[in-house]
């Protein structure tokens, strides 16, 4: 027993020692750099030490590795700056972590922020205006693709720049369409006709659906703008697709497609994975899905796979997604932080290789004109469609209360798509809930 | 006749047990199967059950995706430190609550129960701010300090200690045994099953903890395995489930190993209290 108690004491000492020592000696972070104590302490390059820039991001998996490679390229080309990139969970997790870190004054210098959340941080006045930095660096604001700048300007300040941006697009199994002598649909009416023609039923069970989409607000949102509505009205006091009947029209269209088997609406959990699998197996012929899936699908499918614009109703329209990058005004290393952002935006070995490998959209004119992008588009034209569609990009859900309203919108989608509740009365309830939330903010 | 009933009962018992077993084992089998599949196989629908060629390289890929050795080391240090400290705090506390009479015992024990009843969600923001104030966010301490005492463990162990006859403790005292000796020679050996149970529960909950480390850490150097594995998930686009599942298998193996060693003691703990 004596031995046991000695062992216990020994282990605890080791544990505590190890726990303390990882403060100074923690050898591991994704960039393989030595840990610096804290971003808020700061250190200047004049004393021969490297300035540390903390960069928080939301990229896991293969894209996470691509971000790490990008950071490594930066660190290798900058002797006086050390960027430490840290994954902070998904987009929502990162936002929560940022709120918490800003409150305790331990926030990063630079962070990736999902575009719809930028406004929330903008209104708390914690983001740095990037206009003067751009001016100083001689970069024109027109350099950035206009369709991707919907969540960048607030009160005439430029608070975020695009980084990993995507749009929803129509993924098409062209082989199935060709077999049935059908053309890729360009309007809602054509989509309805083509999707219905592709339905296969065996023994009363649908074995192939025409079209599908993940369970998300993104796709109904796209259809609302296509039908001439907006998500929020002009002054942000209510929704912009109720009085004009657009909401009713969108959901009636979806329910009509669903009732015949033309549309497969997946269950909520992992809906993206489910519809991707079904598309890959040819169980759905067309798919509304993010451009972020192009790379994965390309490597998984065996058939002739193409992408097309989301079908239009009154007009072509599509929302944008993904995340922007911002500098926090609490940073004590703003110059170094800006150098990192500038480098990502304009240098050929900045964010461009990340964009090329990941399938996210190129976001500056220089990037688009670059040989690398042009070559990729020639080789894989389906990636170009995503960019071309940007001319119709429009975000009508810009509001500081969007995250809360979004939750109510999800409930409405669930009620209509799964429980087949009456569309008009569901939208009545949603409108009331949305107005209540909007009046508070 | 009674024999027939006996056999039917037994058969029913086996049937029910196998049914429950299948329900519990199924997710593990699927996880292991997925961890050995190719990317294409993970995307097939209906799902693939047996991979055509087992892809052991997935495990290498998962380990290469980040500083997994660091994550693993952090997980081990955090979990072991917590368990050891908890035992050191818990045993004397439970002993005092079970065998001593002192002023304010009722109130103090009430405080322990109160700690046991307050959910972590209520305290995590104040605790985070406190840790940030102390400037120890970039160490492993914020993941250890809040769990140094285990209220549930003190409660459970006290109940167990109370079942140990007073006479044994008295006899030891008559023989001039120190309190430390009574604890180490009598209380601990006699309550091994309870200690093993508490230890295992503590191990599983801290080894698997995701929420607390996510809140408390913002650098890779101090993060545990659970967060490392969540990093394998794609934020947008198609996740590599085969790699994620390989990571999960690595996460689960230590728990299975520990359970294998503790299982006898745990069963004993429940049977023992059941008889009483």
């Amino acid at each position: 027993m004596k031995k046991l108690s000695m062992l216990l004491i020994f282990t605890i000492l080791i544990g505590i020692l190890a726990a303390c020592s990882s403060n100074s000696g923690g050898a591991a972070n994704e960039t393989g750099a030595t840990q610096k104590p804290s971003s808020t302490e700061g250190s200047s390059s004049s004393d021969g030490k490297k300035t540390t820039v903390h960069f928080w991001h939301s990229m896991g998996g293969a894209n996470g590795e691509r971000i790490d490679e990008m950071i490594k390229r930066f660190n290798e080309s900058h002797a006086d700056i050390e960027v430490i990139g840290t994954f902070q969970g998904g987009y929502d997790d990162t936002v929560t972590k940022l709120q918490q870190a800003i409150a305790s004054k331990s926030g990063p210098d630079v962070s990736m922020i999902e575009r719809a959340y930028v406004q929330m941080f903008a209104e708390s006045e914690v983001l740095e205006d990037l206009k003067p930095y751009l001016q100083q660096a001689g970069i024109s604001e027109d350099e950035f693709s206009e369709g991707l700048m919907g969540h960048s300007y607030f009160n005439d300040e430029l608070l975020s720049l695009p980084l990993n941006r995507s749009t929803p697009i129509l993924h098409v199994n062209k082989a199935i369409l060709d077999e049935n002598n059908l053309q890729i649909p360009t309007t809602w009416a054509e989509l309805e006709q083509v999707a219905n023609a592709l339905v296969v039923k065996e023994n009363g069970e649908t074995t192939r659906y025409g079209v599908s989409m993940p369970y998300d607000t993104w796709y109904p949102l796209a259809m609302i703008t296509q039908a001439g509505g907006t998500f929020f009205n002009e002054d942000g006091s209510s929704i912009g697709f109720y009085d004009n009947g657009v909401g009713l029209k969108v959901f009636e269209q979806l329910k009509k497609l669903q009732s015949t088997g033309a549309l497969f609406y997946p269950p909520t959990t992992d809906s993206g994975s489910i519809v991707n699998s079904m598309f890959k197996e040819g169980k759905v012929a067309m798919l509304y899905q993010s451009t972020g899936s192009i790379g994965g699908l390309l490597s998984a499918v065996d058939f002739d796979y193409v992408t097309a614009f989301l079908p239009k109703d009154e007009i072509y329209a599509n929302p944008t997604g993904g995340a922007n990058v911002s500098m926090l005004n609490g940073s004590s290393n703003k110059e170094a932080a800006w150098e990192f952002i500038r480098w990502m935006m304009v240098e050929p070995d900045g964010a461009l290789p990340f964009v090329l490998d990941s399938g996210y959209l190129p976001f500056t004119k220089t990037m688009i004109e670059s040989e690398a992008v042009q070559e990729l588009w020639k080789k894989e034209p389906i990636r170009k469609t995503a960019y071309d569609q940007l001319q119709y990009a429009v975000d009508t859900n810009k509001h500081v209360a969007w995250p809360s309203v979004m939750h109510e919108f999800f409930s409405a989608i669930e009620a209509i798509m799964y429980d087949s509740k009456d569309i008009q009365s569901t939208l009545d309830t949603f409108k009331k809930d949305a107005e209540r939330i909007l009046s508070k903010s | 006749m009674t024999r027939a009933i006996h056999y039917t009962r037994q058969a029913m018992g086996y049937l029910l047990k196998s049914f429950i077993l299948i329900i519990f084992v199924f997710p593990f089998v699927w996880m292991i199967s997925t961890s050995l599949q190719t990317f294409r196989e993970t995307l097939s629908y209906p799902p693939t059950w047996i991979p055509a060629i087992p892809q052991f390289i997935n495990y290498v890929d998962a380990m290469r995706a980040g500083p997994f050795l660091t994550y693993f080391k952090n997980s081990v240090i955090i979990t072991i430190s917590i368990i050891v400290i908890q035992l050191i705090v818990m045993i004397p506390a439970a002993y005092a609550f079970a065998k001593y009479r002192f002023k304010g015992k009722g109130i103090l024990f009430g405080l322990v129960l109160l700690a046991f009843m307050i959910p972590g969600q209520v305290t995590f923001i104040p605790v985070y701010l406190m840790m940030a104030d102390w400037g120890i966010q970039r160490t492993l301490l914020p993941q250890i300090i809040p769990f140094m005492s285990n209220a549930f463990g003190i409660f459970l162990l006290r109940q167990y200690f109370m079942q140990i006859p007073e006479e044994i403790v008295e006899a030891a005292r008559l023989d001039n045994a120190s309190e430390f000796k009574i604890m180490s020679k009598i209380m601990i050996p006699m309550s091994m099953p309870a200690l093993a149970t508490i230890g295992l529960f503590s191990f599983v909950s801290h080894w698997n903890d995701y929420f607390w480390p996510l809140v408390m850490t913002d650098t890779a150097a101090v993060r545990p395995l659970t967060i490392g594995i969540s990093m394998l998930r794609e934020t947008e686009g198609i996740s590599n489930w085969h790699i994620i599942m390989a990571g999960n298998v690595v996460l689960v193996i230590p728990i299975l190993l520990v359970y294998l060693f503790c299982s006898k003691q745990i069963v004993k703990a429940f049977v023992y209290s059941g008889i009483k």
Side-chain angles (χ1 to χ4, degrees), chain B residues 17-30:
Chain B
K17 278 175 212 156
S18 347
F19 180 67
I20 292 171
L21 190 74
I22 288 168
I23 291 177
F24 277 87
V25 167
F26 174 73
F28 287 91
V29 173
W30 199 359

Side-chain angles (χ1 to χ4, degrees), chain A residues 1 28 30 35 37-38 58 60-63 86-88 91 97 100 104 106 166 276-277 280-281 302 360, chain B residues 40 43-45 67 70 85 128 137-139 184 214-215 217-221 223 231-236 238:
Chain A
M1 198 41 66
E30 299 95 306
Q35 192 76 42
S38 164
S58 320
N63 284 340
T86 312
F87 169 78
Q88 301 292 7
Y91 290 138
K97 290 234 57 160
Q100 164 197 329
S104 71
S106 58
S166 51
N276 284 340
S277 301
K280 184 230 163 198
E281 293 293 318
D302 304 312
Y360 282 110
Chain B
R40 275 160 181 255
L43 274 187
S44 3
Y45 184 91
T70 310
I85 298 173
Y128 173 82
Q137 281 152 301
R138 288 179 185 167
T139 69
S184 60
L214 184 72
V215 172
T217 61
D218 49 31
T219 50
R223 285 186 162 168
M231 277 184 63
L232 297 172
R233 250 191 104 129
E234 211 68 51
T235 307
E236 276 179 281
I238 304 176

Side-chain angles (χ1 to χ4, degrees), chain B residues 234-250:
Chain B
E234 211 68 51
T235 307
E236 276 179 281
I238 304 176
S239 281
N240 291 315
W241 287 109
H242 52 307
I243 309 282
I244 299 172
M245 288 305 150
N248 274 333
V249 172
V250 174

Side-chain angles (χ1 to χ4, degrees), chain A residues 138-356:
Chain A
I139 304 167
S140 160
E141 289 169 41
D142 304 331
E143 170 70 5
F144 299 94
S145 305
E146 208 193 323
L148 297 175
M149 295 298 275
H151 291 86
S152 289
Y153 290 98
F154 298 92
N155 292 328
D156 207 32
E157 288 186 323
L158 175 61
L159 299 180
S160 72
L161 291 170
L163 182 59
N164 48 311
R165 297 299 296 273
S166 51
T167 58
I169 200 167
L170 188 70
H171 303 252
V172 183
N173 183 335
K174 196 158 179 301
I176 296 181
L177 265 69
D178 287 347
E179 266 169 42
N180 296 276
N181 290 321
L182 293 163
Q183 295 296 312
I184 296 170
T186 58
T187 64
W188 285 16
E190 285 174 27
L191 178 80
E192 188 183 335
Q193 189 203 337
V194 173
N196 274 307
L198 290 169
V199 175
V200 177
K201 285 187 179 164
E202 283 167 23
N203 307 324
E205 214 180 304
T206 312
T207 54
R208 187 173 74 201
Y209 297 87
V211 62
S212 186
M213 59 181 69
Y215 160 72
D216 201 284
T217 55
W218 225 19
Y219 309 96
L221 192 63
M223 291 176 74
I224 286 167
T225 25
Q226 286 155 11
T230 56
F231 191 84
F232 290 118
N233 66 4
E234 220 151 278
D235 60 1
S237 60
S238 179
I239 53 174
F241 58 93
Y242 181 86
D243 297 331
N244 48 19
V246 165
L248 187 67
K249 183 177 176 186
V250 167
F251 284 106
E252 270 178 353
Q253 179 73 13
L254 285 171
K255 286 310 276 187
K256 193 160 72 175
L257 290 172
Q258 193 184 27
S259 66
T260 58
L263 169 73
F264 172 72
Y265 204 76
T268 58
T269 311
D270 273 319
S271 64
S273 301
I274 293 168
V275 294
N276 284 340
S277 301
M278 291 179 68
F279 180 72
K280 184 230 163 198
E281 293 293 318
K283 308 254 188 230
V284 293
M286 294 175 288
L287 184 63
Y288 281 60
Q289 173 65 291
S290 165
T291 48
S293 291
I294 291 178
L297 286 174
L298 262 179
S299 67
V301 300
D302 304 312
F303 48 78
D304 186 11
Y305 159 49
V306 298
T307 55
F309 288 6
L310 294 182
K312 66 172 185 177
D313 181 42
E314 309 267 319
I315 50 167
Y316 280 116
N318 57 278
T320 67
N324 281 359
V325 63
S326 292
M327 192 199 301
L328 281 96
N329 60 14
S331 162
S332 50
N333 300 312
K334 286 180 187 161
E335 234 171 89
W338 166 250
E339 171 56 19
F340 178 54
I341 296 178
R342 186 201 66 80
W343 176 86
M344 284 195 288
M345 297 296 135
V346 302
E347 295 293 334
D349 59 351
L352 182 58
F354 166 75
V355 163
L356 290 172

